[in-house]
PDB file of all heavy atoms in Angstrom:
ATOM      1  N   GLU Q  54     -17.340  27.832  -2.128  1.00 97.00           N
ATOM      2  CA  GLU Q  54     -17.042  27.396  -3.419  1.00 97.00           C
ATOM      3  C   GLU Q  54     -17.068  25.911  -3.545  1.00 97.00           C
ATOM      4  O   GLU Q  54     -16.945  25.125  -2.608  1.00 97.00           O
ATOM      5  CB  GLU Q  54     -15.630  27.868  -3.765  1.00 97.00           C
ATOM      6  CG  GLU Q  54     -14.521  27.281  -2.977  1.00 97.00           C
ATOM      7  CD  GLU Q  54     -13.094  27.884  -3.471  1.00 97.00           C
ATOM      8  OE1 GLU Q  54     -12.978  28.192  -4.648  1.00 97.00           O
ATOM      9  OE2 GLU Q  54     -12.174  27.855  -2.703  1.00 97.00           O
ATOM     10  N   VAL Q  55     -17.206  25.423  -4.869  1.00 98.00           N
ATOM     11  CA  VAL Q  55     -16.913  24.073  -5.255  1.00 98.00           C
ATOM     12  C   VAL Q  55     -15.558  23.872  -5.865  1.00 98.00           C
ATOM     13  O   VAL Q  55     -15.271  24.570  -6.653  1.00 98.00           O
ATOM     14  CB  VAL Q  55     -18.158  23.548  -6.047  1.00 98.00           C
ATOM     15  CG1 VAL Q  55     -17.887  22.046  -6.661  1.00 98.00           C
ATOM     16  CG2 VAL Q  55     -19.483  23.637  -5.339  1.00 98.00           C
ATOM     17  N   VAL Q  56     -14.870  22.846  -5.397  1.00 98.00           N
ATOM     18  CA  VAL Q  56     -13.490  22.652  -5.793  1.00 98.00           C
ATOM     19  C   VAL Q  56     -13.469  21.259  -6.271  1.00 98.00           C
ATOM     20  O   VAL Q  56     -14.047  20.313  -5.904  1.00 98.00           O
ATOM     21  CB  VAL Q  56     -12.607  22.802  -4.594  1.00 98.00           C
ATOM     22  CG1 VAL Q  56     -11.152  22.474  -4.920  1.00 98.00           C
ATOM     23  CG2 VAL Q  56     -12.685  24.156  -3.965  1.00 98.00           C
ATOM     24  N   ALA Q  57     -12.363  21.070  -7.363  1.00 98.00           N
ATOM     25  CA  ALA Q  57     -12.060  19.750  -7.902  1.00 98.00           C
ATOM     26  C   ALA Q  57     -10.527  19.776  -7.840  1.00 98.00           C
ATOM     27  O   ALA Q  57      -9.812  20.797  -8.129  1.00 98.00           O
ATOM     28  CB  ALA Q  57     -12.588  19.576  -9.301  1.00 98.00           C
ATOM     29  N   VAL Q  58      -9.987  18.571  -7.447  1.00 97.00           N
ATOM     30  CA  VAL Q  58      -8.538  18.447  -7.391  1.00 97.00           C
ATOM     31  C   VAL Q  58      -8.207  17.017  -8.018  1.00 97.00           C
ATOM     32  O   VAL Q  58      -8.969  16.073  -7.907  1.00 97.00           O
ATOM     33  CB  VAL Q  58      -8.084  18.512  -6.011  1.00 97.00           C
ATOM     34  CG1 VAL Q  58      -8.672  17.373  -5.076  1.00 97.00           C
ATOM     35  CG2 VAL Q  58      -6.532  18.517  -5.892  1.00 97.00           C
ATOM     36  N   ASP Q  59      -7.128  17.035  -8.843  1.00 96.00           N
ATOM     37  CA  ASP Q  59      -6.671  15.746  -9.575  1.00 96.00           C
ATOM     38  C   ASP Q  59      -5.585  15.160  -8.670  1.00 96.00           C
ATOM     39  O   ASP Q  59      -5.290  15.712  -7.658  1.00 96.00           O
ATOM     40  CB  ASP Q  59      -6.312  16.060 -11.006  1.00 96.00           C
ATOM     41  CG  ASP Q  59      -4.872  16.919 -11.050  1.00 96.00           C
ATOM     42  OD1 ASP Q  59      -4.281  16.933 -10.131  1.00 96.00           O
ATOM     43  OD2 ASP Q  59      -4.724  17.292 -12.147  1.00 96.00           O
ATOM     44  N   LEU Q  60      -5.238  13.998  -9.078  1.00 92.00           N
ATOM     45  CA  LEU Q  60      -4.125  13.255  -8.280  1.00 92.00           C
ATOM     46  C   LEU Q  60      -2.823  13.803  -8.256  1.00 92.00           C
ATOM     47  O   LEU Q  60      -1.992  13.362  -7.430  1.00 92.00           O
ATOM     48  CB  LEU Q  60      -4.101  11.854  -8.880  1.00 92.00           C
ATOM     49  CG  LEU Q  60      -5.446  11.036  -8.683  1.00 92.00           C
ATOM     50  CD1 LEU Q  60      -5.234   9.683  -9.322  1.00 92.00           C
ATOM     51  CD2 LEU Q  60      -5.629  10.718  -7.198  1.00 92.00           C
ATOM     52  N   GLU Q  61      -2.595  14.930  -8.977  1.00 92.00           N
ATOM     53  CA  GLU Q  61      -1.248  15.625  -8.938  1.00 92.00           C
ATOM     54  C   GLU Q  61      -1.479  16.833  -8.037  1.00 92.00           C
ATOM     55  O   GLU Q  61      -0.463  17.480  -7.823  1.00 92.00           O
ATOM     56  CB  GLU Q  61      -0.788  16.012 -10.270  1.00 92.00           C
ATOM     57  CG  GLU Q  61      -0.243  14.992 -11.147  1.00 92.00           C
ATOM     58  CD  GLU Q  61      -1.337  13.996 -11.763  1.00 92.00           C
ATOM     59  OE1 GLU Q  61      -2.310  14.499 -12.164  1.00 92.00           O
ATOM     60  OE2 GLU Q  61      -1.175  12.749 -11.617  1.00 92.00           O
ATOM     61  N   GLY Q  62      -2.604  17.097  -7.541  1.00 93.00           N
ATOM     62  CA  GLY Q  62      -2.856  18.160  -6.601  1.00 93.00           C
ATOM     63  C   GLY Q  62      -3.149  19.407  -7.304  1.00 93.00           C
ATOM     64  O   GLY Q  62      -3.305  20.624  -6.639  1.00 93.00           O
ATOM     65  N   LYS Q  63      -3.489  19.430  -8.586  1.00 96.00           N
ATOM     66  CA  LYS Q  63      -3.923  20.603  -9.341  1.00 96.00           C
ATOM     67  C   LYS Q  63      -5.411  20.947  -8.905  1.00 96.00           C
ATOM     68  O   LYS Q  63      -6.324  20.167  -9.123  1.00 96.00           O
ATOM     69  CB  LYS Q  63      -3.844  20.386 -10.781  1.00 96.00           C
ATOM     70  CG  LYS Q  63      -4.336  21.559 -11.616  1.00 96.00           C
ATOM     71  CD  LYS Q  63      -4.197  21.385 -13.126  1.00 96.00           C
ATOM     72  CE  LYS Q  63      -4.800  22.606 -13.813  1.00 96.00           C
ATOM     73  NZ  LYS Q  63      -5.010  22.414 -15.187  1.00 96.00           N
ATOM     74  N   ARG Q  64      -5.525  22.097  -8.297  1.00 97.00           N
ATOM     75  CA  ARG Q  64      -6.806  22.489  -7.798  1.00 97.00           C
ATOM     76  C   ARG Q  64      -7.462  23.401  -8.673  1.00 97.00           C
ATOM     77  O   ARG Q  64      -6.931  24.309  -9.420  1.00 97.00           O
ATOM     78  CB  ARG Q  64      -6.535  23.299  -6.510  1.00 97.00           C
ATOM     79  CG  ARG Q  64      -7.836  23.895  -5.825  1.00 97.00           C
ATOM     80  CD  ARG Q  64      -7.239  24.913  -4.743  1.00 97.00           C
ATOM     81  NE  ARG Q  64      -8.338  25.171  -3.807  1.00 97.00           N
ATOM     82  CZ  ARG Q  64      -9.223  26.078  -3.963  1.00 97.00           C
ATOM     83  NH1 ARG Q  64      -9.420  26.706  -5.014  1.00 97.00           N
ATOM     84  NH2 ARG Q  64     -10.081  26.271  -2.894  1.00 97.00           N
ATOM     85  N   GLU Q  65      -8.831  23.229  -9.038  1.00 98.00           N
ATOM     86  CA  GLU Q  65      -9.663  24.199  -9.810  1.00 98.00           C
ATOM     87  C   GLU Q  65     -10.900  24.549  -8.949  1.00 98.00           C
ATOM     88  O   GLU Q  65     -11.654  23.650  -8.401  1.00 98.00           O
ATOM     89  CB  GLU Q  65     -10.094  23.448 -11.092  1.00 98.00           C
ATOM     90  CG  GLU Q  65     -10.996  24.398 -11.989  1.00 98.00           C
ATOM     91  CD  GLU Q  65     -11.517  23.621 -13.208  1.00 98.00           C
ATOM     92  OE1 GLU Q  65     -11.134  22.379 -13.324  1.00 98.00           O
ATOM     93  OE2 GLU Q  65     -12.156  24.188 -13.953  1.00 98.00           O
ATOM     94  N   SER Q  66     -11.079  25.803  -8.793  1.00 97.00           N
ATOM     95  CA  SER Q  66     -12.310  26.413  -8.291  1.00 97.00           C
ATOM     96  C   SER Q  66     -13.384  26.338  -9.329  1.00 97.00           C
ATOM     97  O   SER Q  66     -13.316  27.010 -10.431  1.00 97.00           O
ATOM     98  CB  SER Q  66     -12.121  27.824  -7.764  1.00 97.00           C
ATOM     99  OG  SER Q  66     -13.356  28.287  -7.267  1.00 97.00           O
ATOM    100  N   ILE Q  67     -14.369  25.613  -9.171  1.00 98.00           N
ATOM    101  CA  ILE Q  67     -15.358  25.322 -10.202  1.00 98.00           C
ATOM    102  C   ILE Q  67     -16.468  26.361 -10.243  1.00 98.00           C
ATOM    103  O   ILE Q  67     -16.800  27.029 -11.292  1.00 98.00           O
ATOM    104  CB  ILE Q  67     -16.088  23.901 -10.035  1.00 98.00           C
ATOM    105  CG1 ILE Q  67     -15.082  22.814  -9.938  1.00 98.00           C
ATOM    106  CG2 ILE Q  67     -17.169  23.792 -11.159  1.00 98.00           C
ATOM    107  CD1 ILE Q  67     -14.411  22.603 -11.182  1.00 98.00           C
ATOM    108  N   VAL Q  68     -16.915  26.779  -9.060  1.00 97.00           N
ATOM    109  CA  VAL Q  68     -18.049  27.852  -8.888  1.00 97.00           C
ATOM    110  C   VAL Q  68     -18.037  28.282  -7.544  1.00 97.00           C
ATOM    111  O   VAL Q  68     -17.721  27.680  -6.591  1.00 97.00           O
ATOM    112  CB  VAL Q  68     -19.460  27.208  -9.395  1.00 97.00           C
ATOM    113  CG1 VAL Q  68     -19.801  26.171  -8.406  1.00 97.00           C
ATOM    114  CG2 VAL Q  68     -20.510  28.355  -9.502  1.00 97.00           C
ATOM    115  N   THR Q  69     -18.381  29.570  -7.451  1.00 97.00           N
ATOM    116  CA  THR Q  69     -18.605  30.250  -6.076  1.00 97.00           C
ATOM    117  C   THR Q  69     -20.164  30.036  -5.846  1.00 97.00           C
ATOM    118  O   THR Q  69     -21.085  30.395  -6.753  1.00 97.00           O
ATOM    119  CB  THR Q  69     -18.244  31.697  -6.126  1.00 97.00           C
ATOM    120  OG1 THR Q  69     -16.933  31.750  -6.479  1.00 97.00           O
ATOM    121  CG2 THR Q  69     -18.545  32.431  -4.867  1.00 97.00           C
ATOM    122  N   VAL Q  70     -20.568  29.698  -4.627  1.00 96.00           N
ATOM    123  CA  VAL Q  70     -21.987  29.576  -4.182  1.00 96.00           C
ATOM    124  C   VAL Q  70     -22.122  30.336  -2.958  1.00 96.00           C
ATOM    125  O   VAL Q  70     -21.513  29.900  -1.890  1.00 96.00           O
ATOM    126  CB  VAL Q  70     -22.394  28.108  -3.897  1.00 96.00           C
ATOM    127  CG1 VAL Q  70     -23.845  27.961  -3.519  1.00 96.00           C
ATOM    128  CG2 VAL Q  70     -22.080  27.299  -5.302  1.00 96.00           C
ATOM    129  N   PRO Q  71     -22.735  31.555  -2.997  1.00 94.00           N
ATOM    130  CA  PRO Q  71     -22.708  32.432  -1.738  1.00 94.00           C
ATOM    131  C   PRO Q  71     -23.426  31.921  -0.576  1.00 94.00           C
ATOM    132  O   PRO Q  71     -22.987  32.205   0.617  1.00 94.00           O
ATOM    133  CB  PRO Q  71     -23.430  33.618  -2.264  1.00 94.00           C
ATOM    134  CG  PRO Q  71     -23.499  33.613  -3.724  1.00 94.00           C
ATOM    135  CD  PRO Q  71     -23.264  32.136  -4.093  1.00 94.00           C
ATOM    136  N   ASN Q  72     -24.354  30.925  -0.727  1.00 93.00           N
ATOM    137  CA  ASN Q  72     -25.041  30.468   0.429  1.00 93.00           C
ATOM    138  C   ASN Q  72     -24.744  29.115   0.863  1.00 93.00           C
ATOM    139  O   ASN Q  72     -25.583  28.228   1.011  1.00 93.00           O
ATOM    140  CB  ASN Q  72     -26.542  30.619   0.126  1.00 93.00           C
ATOM    141  CG  ASN Q  72     -26.938  32.162   0.139  1.00 93.00           C
ATOM    142  OD1 ASN Q  72     -26.468  32.874   0.890  1.00 93.00           O
ATOM    143  ND2 ASN Q  72     -27.909  32.412  -0.825  1.00 93.00           N
ATOM    144  N   ASP Q  73     -23.458  28.783   1.132  1.00 93.00           N
ATOM    145  CA  ASP Q  73     -22.964  27.581   1.686  1.00 93.00           C
ATOM    146  C   ASP Q  73     -23.290  26.211   0.796  1.00 93.00           C
ATOM    147  O   ASP Q  73     -24.293  25.600   0.998  1.00 93.00           O
ATOM    148  CB  ASP Q  73     -23.550  27.287   3.063  1.00 93.00           C
ATOM    149  CG  ASP Q  73     -23.047  28.345   4.047  1.00 93.00           C
ATOM    150  OD1 ASP Q  73     -22.035  28.994   3.827  1.00 93.00           O
ATOM    151  OD2 ASP Q  73     -23.815  28.582   5.038  1.00 93.00           O
ATOM    152  N   PRO Q  74     -22.462  26.007  -0.206  1.00 96.00           N
ATOM    153  CA  PRO Q  74     -22.501  24.834  -0.966  1.00 96.00           C
ATOM    154  C   PRO Q  74     -22.359  23.627  -0.117  1.00 96.00           C
ATOM    155  O   PRO Q  74     -21.617  23.655   0.789  1.00 96.00           O
ATOM    156  CB  PRO Q  74     -21.573  24.990  -2.063  1.00 96.00           C
ATOM    157  CG  PRO Q  74     -20.332  25.726  -1.383  1.00 96.00           C
ATOM    158  CD  PRO Q  74     -21.178  26.683  -0.541  1.00 96.00           C
ATOM    159  N   SER Q  75     -23.006  22.499  -0.557  1.00 93.00           N
ATOM    160  CA  SER Q  75     -22.908  21.207   0.245  1.00 93.00           C
ATOM    161  C   SER Q  75     -22.855  20.056  -0.732  1.00 93.00           C
ATOM    162  O   SER Q  75     -22.018  20.026  -1.492  1.00 93.00           O
ATOM    163  CB  SER Q  75     -24.187  21.120   1.180  1.00 93.00           C
ATOM    164  OG  SER Q  75     -24.061  20.006   1.994  1.00 93.00           O
ATOM    165  N   GLY Q  76     -23.939  19.176  -0.707  1.00 94.00           N
ATOM    166  CA  GLY Q  76     -23.860  17.992  -1.624  1.00 94.00           C
ATOM    167  C   GLY Q  76     -23.783  18.274  -3.049  1.00 94.00           C
ATOM    168  O   GLY Q  76     -24.277  19.463  -3.592  1.00 94.00           O
ATOM    169  N   LEU Q  77     -23.068  17.274  -3.788  1.00 97.00           N
ATOM    170  CA  LEU Q  77     -22.837  17.409  -5.211  1.00 97.00           C
ATOM    171  C   LEU Q  77     -23.394  16.265  -5.920  1.00 97.00           C
ATOM    172  O   LEU Q  77     -23.415  15.192  -5.333  1.00 97.00           O
ATOM    173  CB  LEU Q  77     -21.411  17.674  -5.502  1.00 97.00           C
ATOM    174  CG  LEU Q  77     -20.609  18.736  -4.864  1.00 97.00           C
ATOM    175  CD1 LEU Q  77     -19.109  18.525  -5.127  1.00 97.00           C
ATOM    176  CD2 LEU Q  77     -21.199  20.118  -5.323  1.00 97.00           C
ATOM    177  N   GLY Q  78     -23.906  16.351  -7.090  1.00 97.00           N
ATOM    178  CA  GLY Q  78     -24.261  15.334  -7.932  1.00 97.00           C
ATOM    179  C   GLY Q  78     -24.269  15.717  -9.404  1.00 97.00           C
ATOM    180  O   GLY Q  78     -24.052  16.915  -9.687  1.00 97.00           O
ATOM    181  N   TRP Q  79     -24.436  14.730 -10.355  1.00 97.00           N
ATOM    182  CA  TRP Q  79     -24.359  15.058 -11.688  1.00 97.00           C
ATOM    183  C   TRP Q  79     -25.608  14.427 -12.306  1.00 97.00           C
ATOM    184  O   TRP Q  79     -26.016  13.249 -12.044  1.00 97.00           O
ATOM    185  CB  TRP Q  79     -23.108  14.448 -12.404  1.00 97.00           C
ATOM    186  CG  TRP Q  79     -21.849  15.401 -11.924  1.00 97.00           C
ATOM    187  CD1 TRP Q  79     -21.433  16.303 -12.678  1.00 97.00           C
ATOM    188  CD2 TRP Q  79     -21.102  15.188 -10.871  1.00 97.00           C
ATOM    189  NE1 TRP Q  79     -20.267  16.834 -12.168  1.00 97.00           N
ATOM    190  CE2 TRP Q  79     -20.143  16.145 -10.958  1.00 97.00           C
ATOM    191  CE3 TRP Q  79     -21.137  14.336  -9.729  1.00 97.00           C
ATOM    192  CZ2 TRP Q  79     -19.185  16.352  -9.912  1.00 97.00           C
ATOM    193  CZ3 TRP Q  79     -20.202  14.535  -8.729  1.00 97.00           C
ATOM    194  CH2 TRP Q  79     -19.141  15.522  -8.886  1.00 97.00           C
ATOM    195  N   LEU Q  80     -26.198  15.125 -13.341  1.00 97.00           N
ATOM    196  CA  LEU Q  80     -27.251  14.623 -14.133  1.00 97.00           C
ATOM    197  C   LEU Q  80     -26.682  13.640 -15.257  1.00 97.00           C
ATOM    198  O   LEU Q  80     -25.431  13.833 -15.576  1.00 97.00           O
ATOM    199  CB  LEU Q  80     -27.991  15.866 -14.813  1.00 97.00           C
ATOM    200  CG  LEU Q  80     -28.805  16.651 -13.834  1.00 97.00           C
ATOM    201  CD1 LEU Q  80     -29.414  17.711 -14.661  1.00 97.00           C
ATOM    202  CD2 LEU Q  80     -29.886  15.836 -13.141  1.00 97.00           C
ATOM    203  N   PRO Q  81     -27.485  12.848 -15.836  1.00 97.00           N
ATOM    204  CA  PRO Q  81     -26.936  11.899 -16.893  1.00 97.00           C
ATOM    205  C   PRO Q  81     -26.264  12.657 -18.088  1.00 97.00           C
ATOM    206  O   PRO Q  81     -25.297  12.194 -18.582  1.00 97.00           O
ATOM    207  CB  PRO Q  81     -28.203  11.182 -17.377  1.00 97.00           C
ATOM    208  CG  PRO Q  81     -29.094  11.220 -16.185  1.00 97.00           C
ATOM    209  CD  PRO Q  81     -28.841  12.558 -15.589  1.00 97.00           C
ATOM    210  N   ASP Q  82     -26.550  13.910 -18.230  1.00 96.00           N
ATOM    211  CA  ASP Q  82     -25.946  14.784 -19.307  1.00 96.00           C
ATOM    212  C   ASP Q  82     -24.646  15.431 -18.965  1.00 96.00           C
ATOM    213  O   ASP Q  82     -24.019  16.081 -19.671  1.00 96.00           O
ATOM    214  CB  ASP Q  82     -26.910  15.661 -19.993  1.00 96.00           C
ATOM    215  CG  ASP Q  82     -27.327  16.894 -19.061  1.00 96.00           C
ATOM    216  OD1 ASP Q  82     -26.705  16.928 -17.900  1.00 96.00           O
ATOM    217  OD2 ASP Q  82     -28.102  17.679 -19.403  1.00 96.00           O
ATOM    218  N   GLY Q  83     -24.286  15.237 -17.631  1.00 95.00           N
ATOM    219  CA  GLY Q  83     -22.962  15.714 -17.073  1.00 95.00           C
ATOM    220  C   GLY Q  83     -23.220  17.114 -16.390  1.00 95.00           C
ATOM    221  O   GLY Q  83     -22.220  17.594 -15.817  1.00 95.00           O
ATOM    222  N   ASP Q  84     -24.389  17.573 -16.295  1.00 97.00           N
ATOM    223  CA  ASP Q  84     -24.632  18.950 -15.737  1.00 97.00           C
ATOM    224  C   ASP Q  84     -24.355  18.635 -14.085  1.00 97.00           C
ATOM    225  O   ASP Q  84     -24.951  17.735 -13.616  1.00 97.00           O
ATOM    226  CB  ASP Q  84     -26.045  19.447 -15.815  1.00 97.00           C
ATOM    227  CG  ASP Q  84     -26.145  20.122 -17.280  1.00 97.00           C
ATOM    228  OD1 ASP Q  84     -25.130  20.495 -17.857  1.00 97.00           O
ATOM    229  OD2 ASP Q  84     -27.381  20.409 -17.544  1.00 97.00           O
ATOM    230  N   LEU Q  85     -23.705  19.611 -13.503  1.00 97.00           N
ATOM    231  CA  LEU Q  85     -23.451  19.595 -11.959  1.00 97.00           C
ATOM    232  C   LEU Q  85     -24.589  20.092 -11.255  1.00 97.00           C
ATOM    233  O   LEU Q  85     -25.178  21.211 -11.509  1.00 97.00           O
ATOM    234  CB  LEU Q  85     -22.089  20.262 -11.719  1.00 97.00           C
ATOM    235  CG  LEU Q  85     -21.808  20.477 -10.304  1.00 97.00           C
ATOM    236  CD1 LEU Q  85     -21.486  19.156  -9.670  1.00 97.00           C
ATOM    237  CD2 LEU Q  85     -20.575  21.418 -10.119  1.00 97.00           C
TER     238      LEU Q  85
END
Side-chain angles (χ1 to χ4, degrees):
E54 67 178 336
V55 173
V56 175
V58 62
D59 67 16
L60 291 175
E61 285 76 44
K63 181 180 176 196
R64 178 192 199 280
E65 180 182 359
S66 179
I67 303 299
V68 65
T69 299
V70 181
N72 292 322
D73 298 335
S75 184
L77 305 175
W79 287 266
L80 294 174
D82 68 1
D84 285 348
L85 174 62

